[in-house]
Amino acid sequence: LAPAAEVRAVIERLLAARGEFLAFLEKQLRDRALAEDLLQDAFARALERAEQVRDEESVRAWFYRLLRRAVID
């Protein structure tokens, strides 16, 4: 795949799992509005860093790491 196609594939996989990510954040934060804000910010960061993902299969694990760090911060 060309780099643009790879980035698009990463974003599509993340968006497809949006509900799962939101549920994870809600469980961690116990605040839906805060979880939605954090998820939005995480998606923005992911857009900036999507080319860092080496393997399309590791997209979810990579994004969960990003979310966990965001919750800690």
Side-chain angles (χ1 to χ4, degrees):
L1 294 174
E6 289 175 5
V7 169
R8 184 171 47 250
V10 166
I11 300 306
E12 287 173 0
R13 290 192 73 152
L14 293 177
L15 291 175
R18 183 188 184 282
E20 179 184 329
F21 296 139
L22 183 58
F24 168 78
L25 290 173
E26 280 186 90
K27 185 177 178 183
Q28 298 296 313
L29 301 168
R30 303 186 198 287
D31 182 332
R32 183 172 180 93
L34 181 57
E36 289 175 347
D37 288 346
L38 203 144
L39 183 58
Q40 185 71 24
D41 291 344
F43 275 136
R45 281 195 303 277
L47 279 172
E48 295 170 357
R49 302 175 186 170
E51 64 225 10
Q52 294 176 359
V53 179
R54 301 278 186 246
D55 176 9
E56 192 175 324
E57 293 301 315
S58 66
V59 170
R60 292 163 65 103
W62 171 77
F63 196 69
Y64 270 114
R65 281 192 304 274
L66 201 150
L67 292 177
R68 285 186 197 101
R69 283 192 300 262
V71 168
I72 292 169
D73 292 343

